[in-house]
């Protein structure tokens, strides 16, 4: 890759590979092992400029796994747009796994984690990535390099007899439904490995590359699971809160095994409630300062529970009963969540031991709070 002719072939020549496939209709590039030390200085910067000159809105994704300087350096704005989010996979599997799993190099993982640990891992991603990278993270739950999602979430011995037992797989598929509910309702790009949507299972590479079970060739795709994925995709496409909203964790109850988070824009809101325990739970989700009292939310899609149920914010909270290994995505209609504009503060006037503040009144403001923080000296 340090050879000038090789760089011309891949990057800079009029018919370079980077340009060729974008011109043929591809929408972006996912680059394998992008953090490898064999790529010389300037290689990825050149790659980025060629991509953007050829197709300005083409997306570039690096295959970089863990939270380290190599990954974060890739996302500074001059190399890649975003990355494969294996940290997301690690957090979701840790929350839902019934047993230990292959953490793929994450030193503090490979075992079950609590809802509050899940929250911490999800929030750490938001802290680490620039907004442009964070909102386009390639959120995968498995791949050609890992065990299948269903295999990981099915309890049993690490062989086909244990992981492909029909009764165990039925519970595993319920966990898959919860994992995908998270995948389609957090910031980033939900990326489904082929066959997960119809119940394909398999151990680590190469068993994870089994053929797709085409029904016209004698296969038995799980069409109920397929319809679940269709419903999640439709919900995400229809609700701006799921693609443009913030992410705020509202509840993480380790004892109850429950989690809730919100996605808000200035005009739409969504809540996601999860129960990863083995018993039904009634969640009281605190939303004071996030959703006003009187806001009505409708269950747009449920895992283990029907759609259409409505709940209303009252006393700064929402109450919802969720079955064991169940979850729900709730949505609002179009509402005003923008809040009043910021006040315009006049120049403060200092007095003897005092400070006079004057500001313009703001339409819609119910009141004003003034906070004082003494500073030594």
């Amino acid at each position: 890759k340090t050879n000038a002719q090789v760089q011309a072939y891949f990057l800079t020549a009029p018919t370079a590979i980077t340009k060729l496939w974008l011109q043929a209709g591809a929408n972006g590039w996912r680059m394998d092992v992008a953090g490898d030390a064999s790529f010389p200085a300037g290689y990825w910067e050149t790659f980025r400029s060629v991509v953007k000159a050829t197709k300005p809105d083409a997306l570039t994704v690096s295959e970089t796994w863990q939270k380290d300087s190599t990954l974060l350096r890739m996302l500074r704005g001059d190399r890649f747009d975003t990355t494969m989010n294996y940290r997301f996979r690690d957090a979701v599997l840790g929350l839902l796994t019934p047993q230990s799993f292959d953490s793929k190099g994450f030193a503090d993982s490979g075992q079950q984690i609590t809802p509050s640990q899940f929250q911490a891992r999800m929030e750490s991603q938001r802290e680490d990535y620039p907004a442009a990278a964070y909102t386009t993270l390639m959120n995968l739950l498995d791949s050609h390099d890992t065990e299948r999602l269903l295999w990981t979430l099915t309890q049993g011995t690490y062989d086909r007899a244990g992981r492909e037992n029909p009764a165990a797989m039925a519970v595993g598929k319920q966990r898959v439904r919860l994992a995908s509910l998270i995948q389609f309702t957090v910031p980033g790009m939900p990326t489904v490995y082929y066959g997960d949507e119809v119940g394909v299972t398999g151990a680590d590479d190469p068993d994870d590359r089994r053929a797709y079970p085409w029904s016209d060739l004698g296969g038995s795709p799980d069409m109920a699971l397929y319809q679940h994925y269709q419903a999640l995709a439709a919900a995400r496409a229809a609700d701006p809160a799921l693609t443009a909203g913030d992410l705020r964790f509202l509840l993480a109850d380790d004892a109850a095994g429950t989690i809730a988070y919100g996605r808000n824009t200035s005009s739409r809101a969504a809540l996601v409630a999860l129960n990863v325990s083995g018993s039904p739970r009634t969640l009281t989700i605190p939303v004071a300062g996030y959703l006003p009292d009187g806001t009505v939310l409708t269950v747009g899609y449920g895992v283990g529970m029907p759609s259409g149920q409505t709940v209303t914010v009252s006393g700064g909270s929402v109450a919802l009963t969720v079955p064991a290994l169940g979850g729900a995505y709730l949505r609002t209609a179009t509402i005003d969540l923008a809040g009043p504009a910021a006040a315009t503060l006049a120049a403060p006037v200092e007095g003897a031991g005092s400070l006079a503040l004057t500001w313009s009144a703001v339409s819609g403001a119910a009141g004003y709070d003034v906070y004082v923080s003494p500073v030594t000296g």
Side-chain angles (χ1 to χ4, degrees):
K1 293 179 282 288
T2 59
N3 184 293
Q5 289 178 304
V6 171
Q7 291 194 18
Y9 176 76
F10 282 110
L11 301 177
T12 58
T15 57
I17 297 300
T18 297
K19 304 173 187 177
L20 177 69
W21 294 104
L22 295 175
Q23 292 166 342
N27 288 319
W29 283 101
R30 173 268 190 195
M31 304 305 287
D32 200 55
V33 202
D36 193 271
S38 65
F39 289 99
Y43 188 95
W44 291 125
E45 289 84 349
T46 301
F47 167 75
R48 180 179 183 82
S49 45
V50 170
V51 167
K52 299 304 180 181
T54 306
K55 181 176 280 191
D57 64 348
L59 187 71
T60 59
V61 183
S62 67
E63 187 214 21
T64 33
W65 285 36
Q66 300 182 44
K67 174 187 175 182
D68 59 23
S69 57
T70 300
L71 184 158
L72 298 178
R73 174 61 186 86
M74 288 291 175
L75 305 179
R76 203 167 68 180
D78 58 349
R79 296 186 181 183
F80 286 90
D81 295 318
T82 194
T83 186
M84 296 179 72
N85 195 7
Y86 278 96
R87 291 170 66 184
F88 171 77
R89 171 188 180 267
D90 179 67
V92 174
L93 293 190
L95 177 69
L96 295 172
T97 184
Q99 65 240 319
S100 61
F101 63 95
D102 184 353
S103 63
K104 289 295 180 183
F106 287 85
D108 59 345
S109 188
Q111 68 281 327
Q112 294 173 327
I113 60 174
T114 64
S116 60
Q117 289 173 318
F118 171 76
Q119 174 183 342
R121 293 188 186 193
M122 293 296 291
E123 289 179 336
S124 72
Q125 296 165 38
R126 183 66 192 95
E127 293 170 356
D128 289 339
Y129 297 124
Y134 175 73
T135 55
T136 54
L137 285 167
M138 183 177 167
N139 288 338
L140 70 161
L141 293 168
D142 57 358
S143 75
H144 62 285
D145 287 325
T146 73
E147 302 167 359
R148 283 276 181 177
L149 175 62
L150 178 56
W151 181 278
T152 303
L153 297 185
T154 298
Q155 188 166 17
T157 55
Y158 201 89
D159 52 30
R160 291 197 172 193
R163 299 294 174 95
E164 298 184 38
N165 173 281
M169 285 184 70
V171 181
K173 288 179 180 180
Q174 189 69 3
R175 295 191 179 100
V176 167
R177 288 181 171 90
L178 285 181
S180 50
L181 174 63
I182 299 170
Q183 185 181 33
F184 277 79
T185 57
V186 297
M189 303 183 296
T191 307
V192 180
Y193 186 42
Y194 83 94
D196 283 353
E197 75 281 8
V198 292
V200 174
T201 190
D204 210 344
D205 190 10
D207 192 37
D208 54 5
R209 308 188 190 212
R210 298 184 193 182
Y212 190 89
W214 299 109
S215 56
D216 58 343
L217 296 177
S220 300
D222 185 332
M223 296 310 295
L225 190 59
Y226 182 76
Q227 289 162 7
H228 161 82
Y229 274 89
Q230 282 187 312
L232 288 178
R236 184 178 177 90
D239 190 348
L242 295 182
T243 51
D246 64 354
L247 176 64
R248 183 181 300 190
F249 279 86
L250 303 166
L251 174 73
D253 187 332
D254 293 346
T258 55
I259 302 166
Y261 53 86
R263 302 287 311 275
N264 277 14
T265 69
S266 60
S267 60
R268 295 288 291 267
L271 286 183
V272 176
L274 304 165
N275 175 14
V276 300
S277 79
S279 302
R281 305 291 190 196
T282 296
L283 287 68
T284 301
I285 306 168
V287 294
Y290 195 64
L291 292 176
D293 281 0
T295 301
V296 177
L297 297 110
T298 303
V299 176
Y301 186 73
V303 174
M305 55 189 299
S307 301
Q309 176 185 350
T310 61
V311 294
T312 303
V313 179
S314 177
S317 65
V318 169
L320 181 71
T321 299
V322 181
L325 281 182
Y329 145 67
L330 301 93
R331 61 178 181 236
T332 67
T334 301
I335 55 176
D336 179 15
L337 292 170
T344 301
L345 187 68
V349 178
E350 290 190 55
S354 68
L355 193 67
L357 302 177
T358 307
W359 59 85
S360 60
V362 175
S363 175
Y368 300 92
D369 293 331
V370 178
Y371 298 91
V372 179
S373 177
V375 178
T376 301

